[in-house]
């Protein structure tokens, strides 16, 4: 696993630089970063949203039916069904100056592919965190694959099947989430070296709630999931 992380860091050096420019432009320009995925790629949507050290301007693209927590096999069927992504993107209310980041290991199912296509129809740049080897091996259930729709691909290099251990006949230790979190953190660190970012602090440190209050007020206007009350 350590060797794989070293490899993906080297492999994506140029792509991370391009992603840094795209995302930083949106953040410093007052835009939002939309984060989308389905199945276990939702782990990355949660990783990017409302967490200590994370960007406060992240809008999660989400509907319960794409989460395994609301039904494992139904979620798989949903991400393979066309037509789910369009209303999710429309409900998010994207604007010029925003950017979309989509996480998908295979990049082959209709939901992430159509999410990217919808984003492009709004004129938004799309960054895809996807495995090139897995995408090449997966059936093109959407007709095209995520790498063909996205403006920029960050390649996790995860082998088809995701697992990595034991080396001779791998059957456990999936790499996709690990690689995505690492690459996302590399992107954040590049951005932090270049600009003052709107970053959450832990709510479990003294003064954390107070320091986050301004960010909640600023971004909850456009991100409903950040509103302190959902009543009404």
């Amino acid at each position: 696993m350590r060797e794989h992380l070293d490899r993906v860091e080297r492999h994506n050096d140029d792509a991370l630089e391009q992603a840094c420019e795209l995302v930083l432009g949106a953040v410093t320009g007052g835009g939002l970063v939309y984060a989308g995925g389905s199945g276990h790629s939702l782990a990355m949507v949660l990783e990017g949203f409302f967490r200590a050290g994370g960007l406060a301007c992240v809008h999660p693209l989400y509907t319960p039916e794409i989460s395994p927590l609301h039904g494992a096999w139904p979620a798989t069927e949903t991400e393979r069904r066309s037509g789910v992504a369009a209303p999710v993107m429309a409900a998010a209310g994207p604007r010029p100056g925003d950017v979309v980041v989509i996480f998908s290991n295979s990049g082959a199912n209709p939901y992430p592919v159509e999410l990217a296509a919808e984003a492009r129809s709004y004129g938004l740049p799309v960054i895809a965190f996807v495995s090139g080897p897995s995408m090449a091996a997966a059936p093109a259930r959407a007709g095209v694959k995520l790498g063909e729709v996205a403006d920029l691909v960050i390649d996790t290099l995860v082998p088809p099947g995701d697992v990595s251990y034991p080396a001779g006949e791998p059957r456990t230790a999936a790499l996709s989430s690990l690689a995505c979190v690492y690459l996302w953190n590399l992107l954040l660190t590049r951005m932090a070296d270049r600009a003052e970012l709107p970053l959450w602090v832990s709510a479990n440190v003294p003064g954390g709630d107070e320091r986050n209050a301004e960010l909640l007020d600023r971004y909850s206007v456009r991100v409903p999931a950040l509103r302190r009350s959902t009543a009404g």
Side-chain angles (χ1 to χ4, degrees):
M1 287 183 280
R2 294 190 189 97
E3 291 174 359
H4 188 83
L5 295 183
D6 288 341
R7 182 183 171 212
V8 296
E9 180 174 4
R10 293 191 301 269
H11 180 84
N12 288 285
D13 187 62
D14 289 341
L16 284 168
E17 185 63 24
Q18 295 176 61
C20 180
E21 293 179 6
L22 280 173
V23 179
L24 195 58
V27 173
T28 58
L32 296 182
V33 180
Y34 291 94
S38 58
H40 280 91
S41 292
L42 280 170
M44 282 306 303
V45 177
L46 187 59
E47 175 69 21
F49 177 69
F50 195 56
R51 64 148 301 132
L55 290 170
C57 53
V58 170
H59 190 310
L61 296 170
Y62 177 72
T63 181
E65 60 187 320
I66 61 171
S67 171
L69 297 178
H70 293 274
W73 186 248
T76 297
E77 292 179 322
T78 298
E79 67 181 348
R80 293 179 177 180
R81 189 171 71 242
S82 181
V84 179
V88 173
M89 182 61 72
R95 300 177 184 175
D98 297 334
V99 64
V100 176
V101 182
I102 299 175
F103 302 92
S104 174
N105 186 49
S106 68
N109 288 320
Y111 179 76
V113 172
E114 292 179 8
L115 206 58
E118 285 296 314
R120 293 288 303 276
S121 75
Y122 285 95
L124 306 184
V126 175
I127 302 168
F129 283 67
V130 65
S131 162
S134 297
M135 187 166 54
R141 295 189 178 96
V144 296
K145 297 183 180 179
L146 183 57
E148 300 172 67
V149 182
D151 296 279
L152 177 64
V153 170
I154 295 179
D155 193 346
T156 65
L157 301 175
V158 171
D162 207 343
V163 292
S164 64
Y165 187 87
E169 191 175 344
R171 57 185 181 274
T172 191
L175 291 172
S176 58
S177 297
L178 183 69
C180 277
V181 169
Y182 185 58
L183 288 164
W184 180 251
N185 280 341
L186 289 175
L187 176 58
L188 290 176
T189 57
R190 288 193 183 213
M191 293 168 58
D193 284 342
R194 302 179 190 190
E196 188 70 27
L197 302 176
L199 299 173
W200 301 112
V201 298
S202 173
N204 298 309
V205 299
D209 287 348
E210 292 77 11
R211 291 171 64 186
N212 288 332
E214 185 273 331
L215 293 174
L216 282 167
D217 289 341
R218 187 196 314 177
Y219 290 109
S220 62
V221 175
R222 292 193 60 198
V223 184
L226 289 177
R227 291 171 188 165
R228 299 179 194 234
S229 173
T230 56

